């Protein structure tokens, strides 16, 4: 005959099984709750880390921008200082030049080369020549347009003055001459008055044919000729080769 559990025992067993199931369910519930709490904390920490990184990036960017602006300001100040110094040097140089001019000092002329850093003009029949005694300049003109400006030296005055008025290029011209009475000559001469008396020519030469540099260096700054119109060596050569017969010459 089989043994049977007493009813009480069966009831106790049932209660125990229910308690075990409830415990397991509660364990799972607690475990799930803990997992969710941990996940929530992890998300919070991640958000804090992201916020910290963002703040750090913004701070770094602001610092970098500030440093860049500071460096740009410093560079701008440096360039401004250089510009001011350059301007000061230019003004000082200008003041020195004006002071020298006021004191009667002159700078040696470049009497060997062309007066301007550009090609000489190709002359036309209507072109004419303007000679300014006040400016010590010869201008090659086309109507009212200045084609080329040359530095010059005209007569020193009195019986060595350059006559004013309207004249023209004459037929006489030559490569060189020497005047024994004055002890001077010149190269590349072209007559414009009295057929060989008043000339355009180079800076003066001595009896040996050498240029008299002391007088040549005053070209364009001082009227120091015997009445002729002195030009640089290059300008005089071009004038000798290109001046048209009959060109109008106005001296004023």
């Amino acid at each position: 005959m089989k043994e049977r559990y007493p009813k009480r025992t069966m009831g106790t067993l049932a209660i125990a099984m229910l308690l075990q199931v409830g415990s397991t369910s509660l364990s799972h519930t607690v475990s799930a709750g803990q997992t969710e709490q941990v996940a929530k904390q992890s998300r919070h920490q991640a958000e804090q880390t992201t916020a910290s990184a963002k703040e750090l990036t913004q701070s770094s960017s602001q610092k970098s921008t500030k440093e860049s602006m500071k460096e740009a300001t410093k560079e701008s100040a440096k360039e401004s200082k250089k510009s001011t110094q350059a301007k000061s040097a230019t003004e000082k140089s200008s003041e020195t030049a004006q002071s020298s001019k006021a004191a009667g000092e002159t700078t040696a002329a470049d009497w060997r080369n062309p007066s301007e850093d550009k090609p000489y003009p190709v002359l036309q029949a209507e072109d004419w020549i303007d000679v300014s005694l006040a400016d010590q300049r010869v201008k090659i003109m086309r109507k009212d347009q200045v084609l080329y400006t040359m530095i010059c030296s005209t007569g020193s005055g009195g019986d060595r003055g350059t006559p004013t008025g309207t004249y023209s290029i004459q037929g006489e011209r030559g490569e060189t001459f020497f005047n024994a009475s004055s002890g001077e000559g010149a190269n590349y001469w072209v007559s414009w008055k009295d057929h060989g008396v008043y000339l355009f020519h180079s800076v003066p030469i001595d009896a040996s044919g050498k240029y008299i540099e002391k007088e040549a260096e005053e070209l364009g700054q001082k009227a120091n000729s015997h009445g002729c119109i002195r030009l640089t060596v290059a300008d005089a050569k071009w004038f000798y080769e290109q001046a048209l017969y009959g060109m109008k010459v106005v001296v004023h």
Side-chain angles (χ1 to χ4, degrees):
M1 188 171 190
K2 294 183 179 180
E3 186 178 357
R4 295 179 180 274
Y5 290 104
K7 290 183 179 181
R8 184 177 180 182
T9 303
M10 289 294 291
T12 303
L13 181 60
I15 292 170
M17 290 178 67
L18 287 171
L19 288 173
Q20 185 177 1
V21 170
S23 175
T24 302
S25 176
L26 180 60
S27 175
H28 284 298
T29 302
V30 171
S31 178
Q34 289 176 343
T35 301
E36 184 179 353
Q37 183 67 23
V38 170
K40 187 175 181 180
Q41 289 178 350
S42 297
R43 285 197 301 272
H44 182 67
Q45 290 178 351
E47 290 173 355
Q48 287 183 332
T49 302
T50 302
S52 298
K54 187 175 181 180
E55 290 178 358
L56 181 61
T57 302
Q58 290 177 344
S59 176
S60 177
S61 177
Q62 290 175 353
K63 183 177 181 181
S64 177
T65 302
K66 187 175 181 180
E67 290 178 350
S68 298
M69 292 178 64
K70 184 177 180 181
E71 188 66 24
T73 303
K74 184 178 180 181
E75 190 65 25
S76 177
K78 186 186 293 184
E79 291 298 325
S80 177
K81 184 177 180 181
K82 286 182 180 179
S83 177
T84 302
Q85 289 175 341
K87 184 178 180 181
S88 178
T90 302
E91 291 175 349
K92 186 175 181 181
S93 177
S94 177
E95 289 174 359
T96 301
Q98 291 176 355
S99 298
S100 296
K101 185 175 181 181
E105 297 177 10
T106 58
T107 302
D110 183 8
W111 52 270
R112 295 183 183 275
N113 298 309
S115 292
E116 291 199 71
D117 187 19
K118 68 178 184 180
Y120 290 111
V122 177
L123 298 178
Q124 299 178 6
E126 70 272 15
D127 296 343
W128 58 284
I129 303 162
D130 177 274
V131 181
S132 172
L133 303 183
D135 297 335
Q136 294 295 285
R137 294 292 185 271
V138 171
K139 296 178 181 177
I140 309 301
M141 306 290 295
R142 180 166 296 161
K143 296 183 179 180
D144 294 331
Q145 178 187 0
V146 179
L147 301 179
Y148 200 93
T149 301
M150 303 174 177
I151 59 174
C152 73
S153 285
T154 57
S156 58
D159 59 354
R160 296 176 53 165
T162 299
T164 58
T166 300
Y167 308 96
S168 63
I169 296 297
Q170 299 176 328
E172 297 84 4
R173 67 182 67 197
E175 290 190 358
T176 189
F177 76 91
F178 182 75
N179 188 329
S181 62
S182 66
E184 293 182 357
N187 294 327
Y188 308 117
W189 60 273
V190 177
S191 177
W192 56 274
K193 184 179 185 301
D194 295 345
H195 299 282
V197 177
Y198 291 97
L199 316 170
F200 287 97
H201 59 65
S202 72
V203 291
I205 58 174
D206 59 20
S208 65
K210 294 182 179 180
Y211 290 107
I212 303 173
E213 294 191 13
K214 183 178 179 181
E215 292 194 27
E217 289 174 352
E218 296 176 337
L219 192 70
Q221 304 173 65
K222 183 179 179 181
N224 60 0
S225 80
H226 297 273
C228 292
I229 300 169
R230 296 174 176 176
L231 305 172
T232 72
V233 176
D235 290 349
K237 186 175 187 296
W238 176 85
F239 200 95
Y240 162 73
E241 294 172 345
Q242 302 298 326
L244 302 176
Y245 174 78
M247 279 185 76
K248 182 174 69 173
V249 178
V250 177
V251 183
H252 59 92

